[in-house]
């Protein structure tokens, strides 16, 4: 197979979404499959996307009082056992370390599946007085859950990267405000950075984080009609604080139990980003997370080569100085057509073409990745013009995703309507729900769809008076969907 053929995406996003997604991830240089089943190797371009997501969130966290910390990868079994008091059942997907070198360990060590059981004891140790609160900790790390049987890079792997925030507060109001602050920051990430419209809601009681009082969620819709749980923020009440003895002395020296929260986002966000925006030509990225935001491609004949390359290099240098992540592609062994295809495959949001005419007229031709729209602009003020075009690319991506979402939220008043609508169209189906988990089962059993969220406001009136499944009075509106 020739190099030019290897660049192309051969699968169809519309007709073979899973195969297409895997091909985009590999051919755009984001990840490879590891020799151990269920694991991936994240390549530099893929990791750079994660770093840009991380940078935005990390800055917002720190602006709102969060301190980063790091806790051990390995957790003693006795610590994990404490979580049984609040988390019903022991996680069967934990990976265990039983030996150190040739010696069997006295106590098994769990490879971190999540960190409540190692962070909470230290929060308890560090909390003495109301003056120590609120305590806001976050760590960026990887976790391992031995649940993935079929790997989908970034969506489902045994090891994945994420951040997990853990906070303790003196009062319920402060903890609830914290929960919503983090949910709003995740929504902001999807809207302003990733160009994806988020749905904010909460999980039904039977699907909330074990031991939590309330689990709030960001849901995003994929092109194949499935929902992705894109981030979660949990108000844990006092259950974890009671289990791990996170208490404080108030102003009257009375001991009180703290209210805690936890919140997190994983690189599943990257999977959702890739699947939402990319197309049959390859990866499509919003400018805010693109490792390379602009590529400058000089186009020359032998007699114009020096002038064109010099002009293109000066232009690229000015963009770089203005803060744009720019690449000057002046490779001599590749023709412009090959370069265009390669940078389209790699998801560069904006291409700047410079040929002899642009040099003579002191101009540049700007081409948008999502739709190949192009405009020839003045060389003067190129940095400001380029930023305007990058903003336009973001707006186009958001508008396309928003249009898809708006057309994929439907209503239903019966079990048959729910099954038929999701079966035919996918997307979200809103229906009245009595609040009984049993009324989810007929949908889950028939088409593997479930209630992915209910409205954030518990007092919001349900969309219909009767439960679509059993006919009893509705307690709230359920959003049914298939999900990743």
């Amino acid at each position: 197979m020739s190099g030019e053929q290897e660049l192309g995406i051969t699968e169809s996003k519309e007709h073979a979404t899973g195969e297409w997604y895997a091909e985009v991830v590999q051919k755009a240089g984001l990840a490879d499959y590891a020799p151990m089943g269920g694991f991936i190797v994240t390549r530099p371009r893929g990791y750079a996307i994660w770093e840009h997501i991380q940078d935005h969130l990390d800055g917002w966290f720190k602006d709102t009082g969060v301190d980063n910390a790091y806790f051990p990868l390995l957790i003693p079994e006795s610590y994990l056992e404490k979580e049984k008091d609040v988390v019903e059942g022991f996680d069967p997907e934990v990976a265990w370390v039983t030996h150190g070198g040739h010696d069997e360990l006295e106590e098994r060590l769990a490879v971190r599946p999540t960190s409540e059981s190692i962070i909470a004891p230290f929060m308890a140790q560090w909390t003495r007085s109301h003056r120590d609160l609120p305590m806001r900790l976050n760590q960026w790390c990887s976790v391992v859950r031995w649940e993935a049987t079929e790997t989908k890079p970034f969506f489902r792997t045994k090891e994945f990267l994420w951040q997990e925030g853990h906070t303790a507060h003196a009062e319920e109001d402060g903890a609830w405000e914290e929960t919503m602050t983090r949910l709003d920051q995740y929504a902001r990430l999807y809207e302003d950075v990733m160009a994806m419209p988020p749905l904010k809601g909460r999980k039904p009681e039977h699907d909330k984080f074990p031991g939590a009082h309330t689990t709030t969620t960001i849901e995003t819709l994929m092109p194949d009609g499935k929902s992705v749980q894109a981030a979660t923020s949990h108000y844990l009440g006092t259950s974890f604080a009671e289990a791990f003895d996170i208490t404080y002395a108030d102003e009257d020296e009375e001991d009180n139990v703290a209210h805690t929260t936890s919140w997190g986002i994983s690189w599943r966000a990257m999977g959702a980003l890739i699947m939402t925006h990319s197309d049959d030509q390859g990866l499509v990225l919003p400018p805010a997370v693109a490792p390379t935001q602009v590529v400058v491609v000089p186009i020359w004949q032998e007699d114009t080569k020096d002038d064109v390359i010099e002009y293109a290099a000066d232009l690229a240098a000015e963009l770089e100085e203005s803060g744009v992540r720019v690449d000057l592609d002046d490779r001599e062994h590749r023709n412009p057509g090959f370069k265009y295809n390669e940078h389209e495959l790699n998801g560069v949001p904006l291409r700047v073409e410079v040929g002899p005419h642009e040099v003579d007229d002191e101009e540049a031709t700007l081409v948008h990745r999502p739709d190949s729209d192009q405009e020839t602009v003045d060389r003067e003020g190129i940095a400001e013009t380029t930023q305007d075009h990058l903003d336009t690319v973001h707006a186009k991506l958001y508008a396309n995703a928003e249009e898809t979402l708006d057309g994929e939220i439907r209503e239903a008043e019966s079990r048959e309507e729910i099954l038929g609508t999701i079966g035919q169209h996918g997307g979200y189906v809103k229906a009245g729900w009595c609040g009984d988990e049993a009324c989810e089962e007929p949908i889950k059993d028939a088409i593997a769809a479930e209630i992915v969220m209910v409205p954030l406001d518990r007092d919001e009136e349900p969309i219909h008076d009767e439960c679509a499944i059993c006919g009893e009075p509705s307690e709230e509106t359920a959003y049914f969907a298939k999900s990743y």
Side-chain angles (χ1 to χ4, degrees), residues 50-82:
W50 177 243
E51 285 182 310
H52 290 306
I53 292 172
Q54 180 178 356
D55 287 347
H56 281 90
L57 273 179
D58 198 62
W60 299 340
F61 292 163
K62 288 172 180 172
D63 287 344
T64 47
V66 179
D67 292 313
N68 282 340
Y70 187 79
F71 292 82
L73 169 68
L74 302 180
I75 302 173
E77 184 173 10
S78 58
Y79 276 58
L80 211 59
E81 287 277 349
K82 290 181 183 178

mmCIF file of all heavy atoms in Angstrom, residues 50-82:
data_model
loop_
_atom_site.group_PDB
_atom_site.id
_atom_site.type_symbol
_atom_site.label_atom_id
_atom_site.label_comp_id
_atom_site.label_asym_id
_atom_site.label_seq_id
_atom_site.Cartn_x
_atom_site.Cartn_y
_atom_site.Cartn_z
ATOM 1 N N TRP A 50 -5.002 15.716 25.286
ATOM 2 C CA TRP A 50 -5.334 15.561 26.693
ATOM 3 C C TRP A 50 -4.698 16.675 27.528
ATOM 4 O O TRP A 50 -5.326 17.203 28.455
ATOM 5 C CB TRP A 50 -4.876 14.185 27.179
ATOM 6 C CG TRP A 50 -5.105 13.939 28.645
ATOM 7 C CD1 TRP A 50 -4.160 13.715 29.609
ATOM 8 C CD2 TRP A 50 -6.364 13.872 29.325
ATOM 9 N NE1 TRP A 50 -4.745 13.521 30.838
ATOM 10 C CE2 TRP A 50 -6.101 13.614 30.696
ATOM 11 C CE3 TRP A 50 -7.687 14.022 28.908
ATOM 12 C CZ2 TRP A 50 -7.108 13.492 31.649
ATOM 13 C CZ3 TRP A 50 -8.702 13.901 29.863
ATOM 14 C CH2 TRP A 50 -8.404 13.637 31.202
ATOM 15 N N GLU A 51 -3.472 17.060 27.206
ATOM 16 C CA GLU A 51 -2.815 18.127 27.953
ATOM 17 C C GLU A 51 -3.567 19.453 27.832
ATOM 18 O O GLU A 51 -3.672 20.207 28.808
ATOM 19 C CB GLU A 51 -1.374 18.309 27.468
ATOM 20 C CG GLU A 51 -0.426 17.232 27.941
ATOM 21 C CD GLU A 51 1.000 17.475 27.487
ATOM 22 O OE1 GLU A 51 1.208 17.727 26.277
ATOM 23 O OE2 GLU A 51 1.912 17.413 28.336
ATOM 24 N N HIS A 52 -4.100 19.744 26.646
ATOM 25 C CA HIS A 52 -4.840 21.003 26.484
ATOM 26 C C HIS A 52 -6.145 20.963 27.276
ATOM 27 O O HIS A 52 -6.539 21.975 27.879
ATOM 28 C CB HIS A 52 -5.104 21.279 25.004
ATOM 29 C CG HIS A 52 -3.874 21.640 24.235
ATOM 30 N ND1 HIS A 52 -3.032 22.657 24.612
ATOM 31 C CD2 HIS A 52 -3.329 21.095 23.105
ATOM 32 C CE1 HIS A 52 -2.020 22.742 23.757
ATOM 33 N NE2 HIS A 52 -2.170 21.807 22.848
ATOM 34 N N ILE A 53 -6.817 19.826 27.290
ATOM 35 C CA ILE A 53 -8.003 19.676 28.128
ATOM 36 C C ILE A 53 -7.623 19.873 29.594
ATOM 37 O O ILE A 53 -8.272 20.604 30.344
ATOM 38 C CB ILE A 53 -8.638 18.289 27.906
ATOM 39 C CG1 ILE A 53 -9.236 18.195 26.496
ATOM 40 C CG2 ILE A 53 -9.703 17.991 28.961
ATOM 41 C CD1 ILE A 53 -9.704 16.805 26.112
ATOM 42 N N GLN A 54 -6.549 19.225 29.992
ATOM 43 C CA GLN A 54 -6.065 19.291 31.367
ATOM 44 C C GLN A 54 -5.708 20.728 31.750
ATOM 45 O O GLN A 54 -6.067 21.191 32.840
ATOM 46 C CB GLN A 54 -4.853 18.379 31.512
ATOM 47 C CG GLN A 54 -4.239 18.333 32.894
ATOM 48 C CD GLN A 54 -3.069 17.360 32.969
ATOM 49 O OE1 GLN A 54 -2.762 16.668 32.011
ATOM 50 N NE2 GLN A 54 -2.410 17.318 34.100
ATOM 51 N N ASP A 55 -5.018 21.433 30.876
ATOM 52 C CA ASP A 55 -4.574 22.796 31.188
ATOM 53 C C ASP A 55 -5.754 23.722 31.465
ATOM 54 O O ASP A 55 -5.717 24.546 32.395
ATOM 55 C CB ASP A 55 -3.724 23.355 30.044
ATOM 56 C CG ASP A 55 -2.346 22.716 29.978
ATOM 57 O OD1 ASP A 55 -1.952 22.037 30.943
ATOM 58 O OD2 ASP A 55 -1.673 22.885 28.942
ATOM 59 N N HIS A 56 -6.789 23.626 30.632
ATOM 60 C CA HIS A 56 -7.953 24.482 30.853
ATOM 61 C C HIS A 56 -8.603 24.182 32.200
ATOM 62 O O HIS A 56 -8.850 25.087 32.999
ATOM 63 C CB HIS A 56 -8.977 24.293 29.723
ATOM 64 C CG HIS A 56 -8.635 25.019 28.463
ATOM 65 N ND1 HIS A 56 -7.889 24.458 27.454
ATOM 66 C CD2 HIS A 56 -8.930 26.274 28.050
ATOM 67 C CE1 HIS A 56 -7.732 25.331 26.479
ATOM 68 N NE2 HIS A 56 -8.351 26.439 26.806
ATOM 69 N N LEU A 57 -8.891 22.913 32.448
ATOM 70 C CA LEU A 57 -9.560 22.550 33.690
ATOM 71 C C LEU A 57 -8.704 22.874 34.905
ATOM 72 O O LEU A 57 -9.202 23.395 35.910
ATOM 73 C CB LEU A 57 -9.895 21.056 33.686
ATOM 74 C CG LEU A 57 -11.216 20.638 33.055
ATOM 75 C CD1 LEU A 57 -11.364 19.125 33.118
ATOM 76 C CD2 LEU A 57 -12.401 21.317 33.728
ATOM 77 N N ASP A 58 -7.417 22.555 34.823
ATOM 78 C CA ASP A 58 -6.539 22.756 35.966
ATOM 79 C C ASP A 58 -6.488 24.228 36.369
ATOM 80 O O ASP A 58 -6.511 24.557 37.563
ATOM 81 C CB ASP A 58 -5.140 22.240 35.643
ATOM 82 C CG ASP A 58 -4.299 22.004 36.884
ATOM 83 O OD1 ASP A 58 -4.692 21.154 37.705
ATOM 84 O OD2 ASP A 58 -3.267 22.670 37.037
ATOM 85 N N GLY A 59 -6.461 25.099 35.381
ATOM 86 C CA GLY A 59 -6.464 26.531 35.680
ATOM 87 C C GLY A 59 -7.752 26.957 36.354
ATOM 88 O O GLY A 59 -7.739 27.735 37.324
ATOM 89 N N TRP A 60 -8.885 26.461 35.860
ATOM 90 C CA TRP A 60 -10.167 26.824 36.468
ATOM 91 C C TRP A 60 -10.279 26.268 37.886
ATOM 92 O O TRP A 60 -10.813 26.935 38.772
ATOM 93 C CB TRP A 60 -11.324 26.291 35.622
ATOM 94 C CG TRP A 60 -11.353 26.835 34.230
ATOM 95 C CD1 TRP A 60 -10.746 27.974 33.780
ATOM 96 C CD2 TRP A 60 -12.017 26.272 33.099
ATOM 97 N NE1 TRP A 60 -10.992 28.150 32.433
ATOM 98 C CE2 TRP A 60 -11.766 27.128 31.992
ATOM 99 C CE3 TRP A 60 -12.791 25.142 32.901
ATOM 100 C CZ2 TRP A 60 -12.280 26.862 30.721
ATOM 101 C CZ3 TRP A 60 -13.303 24.874 31.637
ATOM 102 C CH2 TRP A 60 -13.051 25.735 30.564
ATOM 103 N N PHE A 61 -9.785 25.041 38.074
ATOM 104 C CA PHE A 61 -9.820 24.473 39.432
ATOM 105 C C PHE A 61 -9.025 25.358 40.399
ATOM 106 O O PHE A 61 -9.501 25.689 41.487
ATOM 107 C CB PHE A 61 -9.220 23.062 39.435
ATOM 108 C CG PHE A 61 -10.034 22.021 38.707
ATOM 109 C CD1 PHE A 61 -9.460 20.807 38.338
ATOM 110 C CD2 PHE A 61 -11.370 22.232 38.400
ATOM 111 C CE1 PHE A 61 -10.198 19.837 37.675
ATOM 112 C CE2 PHE A 61 -12.122 21.268 37.736
ATOM 113 C CZ PHE A 61 -11.524 20.071 37.372
ATOM 114 N N LYS A 62 -7.821 25.714 39.997
ATOM 115 C CA LYS A 62 -6.964 26.505 40.888
ATOM 116 C C LYS A 62 -7.554 27.884 41.143
ATOM 117 O O LYS A 62 -7.416 28.437 42.247
ATOM 118 C CB LYS A 62 -5.557 26.604 40.305
ATOM 119 C CG LYS A 62 -4.793 25.280 40.392
ATOM 120 C CD LYS A 62 -3.471 25.327 39.650
ATOM 121 C CE LYS A 62 -2.742 23.987 39.769
ATOM 122 N NZ LYS A 62 -1.544 23.920 38.909
ATOM 123 N N ASP A 63 -8.219 28.448 40.121
ATOM 124 C CA ASP A 63 -8.864 29.753 40.310
ATOM 125 C C ASP A 63 -9.983 29.686 41.344
ATOM 126 O O ASP A 63 -10.393 30.725 41.878
ATOM 127 C CB ASP A 63 -9.442 30.252 38.979
ATOM 128 C CG ASP A 63 -8.365 30.711 38.008
ATOM 129 O OD1 ASP A 63 -7.224 30.932 38.447
ATOM 130 O OD2 ASP A 63 -8.671 30.833 36.800
ATOM 131 N N THR A 64 -10.497 28.492 41.602
ATOM 132 C CA THR A 64 -11.610 28.335 42.546
ATOM 133 C C THR A 64 -11.179 27.537 43.777
ATOM 134 O O THR A 64 -11.970 26.798 44.375
ATOM 135 C CB THR A 64 -12.811 27.664 41.862
ATOM 136 O OG1 THR A 64 -12.367 26.517 41.109
ATOM 137 C CG2 THR A 64 -13.506 28.627 40.928
ATOM 138 N N GLY A 65 -9.900 27.673 44.151
ATOM 139 C CA GLY A 65 -9.459 27.210 45.451
ATOM 140 C C GLY A 65 -9.012 25.780 45.572
ATOM 141 O O GLY A 65 -8.861 25.268 46.688
ATOM 142 N N VAL A 66 -8.774 25.114 44.456
ATOM 143 C CA VAL A 66 -8.387 23.708 44.494
ATOM 144 C C VAL A 66 -6.868 23.584 44.509
ATOM 145 O O VAL A 66 -6.171 24.281 43.758
ATOM 146 C CB VAL A 66 -8.970 22.940 43.292
ATOM 147 C CG1 VAL A 66 -8.535 21.478 43.316
ATOM 148 C CG2 VAL A 66 -10.493 23.037 43.280
ATOM 149 N N ASP A 67 -6.353 22.676 45.331
ATOM 150 C CA ASP A 67 -4.931 22.368 45.366
ATOM 151 C C ASP A 67 -4.703 20.969 44.788
ATOM 152 O O ASP A 67 -5.413 20.025 45.148
ATOM 153 C CB ASP A 67 -4.401 22.391 46.804
ATOM 154 C CG ASP A 67 -4.412 23.793 47.398
ATOM 155 O OD1 ASP A 67 -3.960 24.720 46.706
ATOM 156 O OD2 ASP A 67 -4.871 23.940 48.539
ATOM 157 N N ASN A 68 -3.704 20.848 43.933
ATOM 158 C CA ASN A 68 -3.349 19.537 43.400
ATOM 159 C C ASN A 68 -2.493 18.776 44.401
ATOM 160 O O ASN A 68 -1.652 19.349 45.104
ATOM 161 C CB ASN A 68 -2.593 19.665 42.075
ATOM 162 C CG ASN A 68 -3.515 19.957 40.912
ATOM 163 O OD1 ASN A 68 -4.721 19.708 40.987
ATOM 164 N ND2 ASN A 68 -2.968 20.469 39.832
ATOM 165 N N ALA A 69 -2.691 17.487 44.442
ATOM 166 C CA ALA A 69 -1.910 16.604 45.297
ATOM 167 C C ALA A 69 -1.733 15.287 44.538
ATOM 168 O O ALA A 69 -2.235 15.128 43.422
ATOM 169 C CB ALA A 69 -2.620 16.370 46.630
ATOM 170 N N TYR A 70 -1.002 14.364 45.159
ATOM 171 C CA TYR A 70 -0.867 13.043 44.545
ATOM 172 C C TYR A 70 -0.855 11.985 45.626
ATOM 173 O O TYR A 70 -0.140 12.125 46.634
ATOM 174 C CB TYR A 70 0.405 12.935 43.691
ATOM 175 C CG TYR A 70 0.438 11.636 42.928
ATOM 176 C CD1 TYR A 70 -0.308 11.491 41.762
ATOM 177 C CD2 TYR A 70 1.144 10.549 43.403
ATOM 178 C CE1 TYR A 70 -0.322 10.291 41.069
ATOM 179 C CE2 TYR A 70 1.134 9.337 42.724
ATOM 180 C CZ TYR A 70 0.395 9.216 41.556
ATOM 181 O OH TYR A 70 0.361 8.026 40.888
ATOM 182 N N PHE A 71 -1.643 10.945 45.427
ATOM 183 C CA PHE A 71 -1.756 9.845 46.374
ATOM 184 C C PHE A 71 -1.291 8.559 45.713
ATOM 185 O O PHE A 71 -1.296 8.440 44.485
ATOM 186 C CB PHE A 71 -3.208 9.724 46.853
ATOM 187 C CG PHE A 71 -3.651 10.893 47.700
ATOM 188 C CD1 PHE A 71 -4.076 12.084 47.098
ATOM 189 C CD2 PHE A 71 -3.626 10.815 49.079
ATOM 190 C CE1 PHE A 71 -4.467 13.160 47.868
ATOM 191 C CE2 PHE A 71 -4.009 11.895 49.859
ATOM 192 C CZ PHE A 71 -4.430 13.064 49.259
ATOM 193 N N PRO A 72 -0.879 7.577 46.518
ATOM 194 C CA PRO A 72 -0.253 6.375 45.946
ATOM 195 C C PRO A 72 -1.142 5.610 44.969
ATOM 196 O O PRO A 72 -2.368 5.567 45.111
ATOM 197 C CB PRO A 72 0.040 5.521 47.189
ATOM 198 C CG PRO A 72 0.160 6.498 48.304
ATOM 199 C CD PRO A 72 -0.835 7.573 47.991
ATOM 200 N N LEU A 73 -0.470 4.983 44.012
ATOM 201 C CA LEU A 73 -1.141 4.120 43.042
ATOM 202 C C LEU A 73 -1.699 2.868 43.700
ATOM 203 O O LEU A 73 -2.738 2.343 43.300
ATOM 204 C CB LEU A 73 -0.128 3.721 41.955
ATOM 205 C CG LEU A 73 -0.522 2.624 40.977
ATOM 206 C CD1 LEU A 73 -1.638 3.101 40.060
ATOM 207 C CD2 LEU A 73 0.685 2.185 40.163
ATOM 208 N N LEU A 74 -1.010 2.381 44.726
ATOM 209 C CA LEU A 74 -1.387 1.136 45.387
ATOM 210 C C LEU A 74 -2.086 1.442 46.712
ATOM 211 O O LEU A 74 -1.616 2.256 47.507
ATOM 212 C CB LEU A 74 -0.159 0.260 45.618
ATOM 213 C CG LEU A 74 0.630 -0.111 44.346
ATOM 214 C CD1 LEU A 74 1.834 -0.975 44.700
ATOM 215 C CD2 LEU A 74 -0.268 -0.817 43.339
ATOM 216 N N ILE A 75 -3.207 0.762 46.943
ATOM 217 C CA ILE A 75 -4.043 1.025 48.112
ATOM 218 C C ILE A 75 -4.162 -0.264 48.924
ATOM 219 O O ILE A 75 -4.562 -1.302 48.379
ATOM 220 C CB ILE A 75 -5.439 1.516 47.678
ATOM 221 C CG1 ILE A 75 -5.319 2.786 46.826
ATOM 222 C CG2 ILE A 75 -6.318 1.770 48.891
ATOM 223 C CD1 ILE A 75 -6.630 3.246 46.229
ATOM 224 N N PRO A 76 -3.836 -0.236 50.214
ATOM 225 C CA PRO A 76 -3.969 -1.444 51.030
ATOM 226 C C PRO A 76 -5.402 -1.972 51.030
ATOM 227 O O PRO A 76 -6.368 -1.189 51.036
ATOM 228 C CB PRO A 76 -3.561 -0.968 52.429
ATOM 229 C CG PRO A 76 -2.742 0.248 52.205
ATOM 230 C CD PRO A 76 -3.311 0.903 50.987
ATOM 231 N N GLU A 77 -5.526 -3.282 51.036
ATOM 232 C CA GLU A 77 -6.858 -3.884 51.016
ATOM 233 C C GLU A 77 -7.694 -3.423 52.206
ATOM 234 O O GLU A 77 -8.901 -3.210 52.080
ATOM 235 C CB GLU A 77 -6.736 -5.403 51.018
ATOM 236 C CG GLU A 77 -8.063 -6.118 50.892
ATOM 237 C CD GLU A 77 -7.914 -7.614 50.722
ATOM 238 O OE1 GLU A 77 -6.797 -8.140 50.886
ATOM 239 O OE2 GLU A 77 -8.934 -8.276 50.408
ATOM 240 N N SER A 78 -7.055 -3.251 53.360
ATOM 241 C CA SER A 78 -7.791 -2.813 54.551
ATOM 242 C C SER A 78 -8.399 -1.428 54.357
ATOM 243 O O SER A 78 -9.477 -1.129 54.896
ATOM 244 C CB SER A 78 -6.865 -2.810 55.776
ATOM 245 O OG SER A 78 -5.740 -1.968 55.550
ATOM 246 N N TYR A 79 -7.740 -0.574 53.594
ATOM 247 C CA TYR A 79 -8.295 0.751 53.300
ATOM 248 C C TYR A 79 -9.496 0.625 52.366
ATOM 249 O O TYR A 79 -10.536 1.268 52.558
ATOM 250 C CB TYR A 79 -7.237 1.644 52.641
ATOM 251 C CG TYR A 79 -6.313 2.339 53.606
ATOM 252 C CD1 TYR A 79 -5.535 1.621 54.497
ATOM 253 C CD2 TYR A 79 -6.202 3.721 53.624
ATOM 254 C CE1 TYR A 79 -4.678 2.243 55.389
ATOM 255 C CE2 TYR A 79 -5.350 4.369 54.498
ATOM 256 C CZ TYR A 79 -4.590 3.613 55.390
ATOM 257 O OH TYR A 79 -3.749 4.249 56.264
ATOM 258 N N LEU A 80 -9.344 -0.213 51.336
ATOM 259 C CA LEU A 80 -10.435 -0.390 50.385
ATOM 260 C C LEU A 80 -11.647 -1.015 51.063
ATOM 261 O O LEU A 80 -12.791 -0.699 50.708
ATOM 262 C CB LEU A 80 -9.957 -1.266 49.218
ATOM 263 C CG LEU A 80 -10.591 -1.014 47.853
ATOM 264 C CD1 LEU A 80 -10.355 0.419 47.397
ATOM 265 C CD2 LEU A 80 -10.020 -1.979 46.823
ATOM 266 N N GLU A 81 -11.408 -1.885 52.041
ATOM 267 C CA GLU A 81 -12.499 -2.545 52.756
ATOM 268 C C GLU A 81 -13.374 -1.532 53.497
ATOM 269 O O GLU A 81 -14.577 -1.738 53.649
ATOM 270 C CB GLU A 81 -11.927 -3.555 53.761
ATOM 271 C CG GLU A 81 -11.354 -4.828 53.138
ATOM 272 C CD GLU A 81 -12.441 -5.845 52.846
ATOM 273 O OE1 GLU A 81 -13.569 -5.636 53.320
ATOM 274 O OE2 GLU A 81 -12.157 -6.825 52.139
ATOM 275 N N LYS A 82 -12.760 -0.424 53.954
ATOM 276 C CA LYS A 82 -13.542 0.580 54.674
ATOM 277 C C LYS A 82 -14.657 1.139 53.807
ATOM 278 O O LYS A 82 -15.693 1.574 54.301
ATOM 279 C CB LYS A 82 -12.634 1.726 55.145
ATOM 280 C CG LYS A 82 -11.673 1.353 56.260
ATOM 281 C CD LYS A 82 -10.842 2.566 56.666
ATOM 282 C CE LYS A 82 -9.817 2.194 57.733
ATOM 283 N NZ LYS A 82 -8.964 3.346 58.104
#
